[in-house]
Amino acid sequence: MTAEIIDGKGISTQIKEEIAEEIKDLRKGRDTIPGLAVIIVGEDPASLIYVRNKKKACEEIGIESFEYHTDLHTPQEDILKTIHRLNQDKKIHGILVQLPLPKDIDTGLILEGIAPDKDVDCFHPINMGKLMTNTADLLPCTSAGIIELLDHSNVKIQGKRAVILGRSNIVGKPTALMLLHRHATVTICHSRTEEIEDITREGDILVSAIGVPRFVTGEMIKDGAIVIDVGINRINNKLVGDVDFDEVVRKASLITPVPGGVGPMTIAMLMKNTLTAFKRQICMK
Ligand code: GUN
């Protein structure tokens, strides 16, 4: 079997076009435009690329982006002050703090500083709690992107065994919850999981978000599995996923490539969340 490749880039372009149309309609007769503030601390090369791509997507679809780039040693209080100011700013409908933050900053405290209505990453504990109870309208971008990819590929999630590699707050845990809400039977594996291959081989849907290049081999997956690769790892300046694509593509039924799979979907979902936050805030005026 050779897997069909899920075109995350193409699907994300389609979603961004739909969002752009909606923004155009919403702006008719209004002098307000959706605004996204992006805070980045330091010079982490990957973060700089992600932020540049997010700003580019904003430009393409009619969201105004505001970048707050401060140096590595910015005191935590200054970042919090910026966030509190942006929470009150009527031109800003979404706020995102690019992660990871420098080690001496309390990431939890920073994320809790963002007004939940403007938390377009969905990392605030209130929004995470709503995700847990399936009452959220802002959803974590990567996980929401994964679900969109599965839906666009007409994958029936209900009743399937889903195995997630990775238990991060950003991807592993929210993806597990979202698949559970869609009635999959979900297992999370992590660095301490024993006999991991025995578990991954049971997955009808396998999502890998561990950041270990080519960790998932052909032997680790079920015949015909649907494989979603969230990994973005750099080897000799080349991007590779968590999945050994060349091996796994011969055994899976559907697979996401790296690059061009989950990555562009994360950005499309960020745009979607910014639009959702904008609509909610302009309706409350
Ligand atoms: N760093 C890695 N992924 C993400 C993300 O989705 N949002 C933010 N803010 N930072 C990240």
Side-chain angles (χ1 to χ4, degrees), residues 38-39 47 50 54 95-100 111 121 123 140-142 170-171 266 270:
V38 180
I39 298 174
S47 292
Y50 295 144
K54 288 169 186 177
I95 303 171
L96 173 159
V97 178
Q98 187 62 34
L99 302 179
L111 297 177
D121 258 331
F123 293 163
C141 302
T142 300
I170 296 184
V171 184
T266 299
L270 174 68

Side-chain angles (χ1 to χ4, degrees), residues 50-253:
Y50 295 144
V51 167
R52 194 176 66 210
N53 290 341
K54 288 169 186 177
K55 284 170 62 186
K56 187 164 157 266
C58 285
E59 262 168 46
E60 281 167 13
I61 69 167
I63 291 175
E64 194 170 1
S65 69
F66 301 83
E67 183 176 332
Y68 299 85
H69 188 173
T70 62
D71 77 84
L72 186 64
H73 304 293
T74 309
Q76 185 166 291
E77 293 68 36
D78 291 5
I79 304 171
L80 278 172
K81 261 190 221 154
T82 303
I83 291 173
H84 293 151
R85 186 164 47 76
L86 294 170
N87 284 344
Q88 303 300 325
D89 188 334
K90 295 267 185 284
K91 289 201 301 296
I92 304 293
H93 306 91
I95 303 171
L96 173 159
V97 178
Q98 187 62 34
L99 302 179
L101 285 167
K103 282 189 190 59
D104 48 348
I105 288 179
D106 182 343
T107 301
L109 194 75
I110 296 291
L111 297 177
E112 281 183 43
I114 299 172
D117 282 351
K118 296 191 177 186
D119 171 35
V120 285
D121 258 331
C122 192
F123 293 163
H124 190 288
I126 286 186
N127 288 326
M128 290 208 192
K130 286 186 179 174
L131 171 64
M132 179 108 183
T133 53
N134 202 11
T135 53
D137 58 356
L138 296 174
L139 294 165
C141 302
T142 300
S143 306
I146 291 169
I147 301 290
E148 283 280 346
L149 286 178
L150 295 173
D151 285 345
H152 268 80
S153 309
N154 295 317
V155 172
K156 182 172 164 264
I157 299 172
Q158 175 169 322
K160 294 276 165 37
R161 290 291 305 262
V163 176
I164 322 271
L165 300 182
R167 54 176 159 176
S168 69
N169 289 335
I170 296 184
V171 184
K173 285 186 222 168
T175 303
L177 283 169
M178 289 181 73
L179 287 167
L180 184 64
H181 295 154
R182 294 288 297 269
H183 312 294
T185 301
V186 182
T187 306
I188 303 180
C189 299
H190 47 80
S191 52
R192 316 273 169 92
T193 301
E194 293 179 359
E195 315 291 354
I196 199 164
E197 303 84 358
D198 292 348
I199 301 169
T200 56
R201 272 194 288 266
E202 290 191 349
D204 302 305
I205 299 170
L206 181 70
V207 178
S208 185
I210 48 171
V212 179
R214 301 193 184 108
F215 178 85
V216 179
T217 58
E219 291 220 313
M220 290 173 68
I221 72 154
K222 183 176 184 173
D223 271 325
I226 295 152
V227 179
I228 306 290
D229 190 350
V230 185
I232 301 179
N233 312 292
R234 252 163 249 271
I235 296 186
N236 300 329
N237 244 350
K238 185 174 177 259
L239 281 189
V240 296
D242 289 352
V243 174
D244 186 332
F245 186 89
D246 295 342
E247 268 191 23
V248 172
V249 74
R250 285 189 262 126
K251 208 167 165 198
S253 61

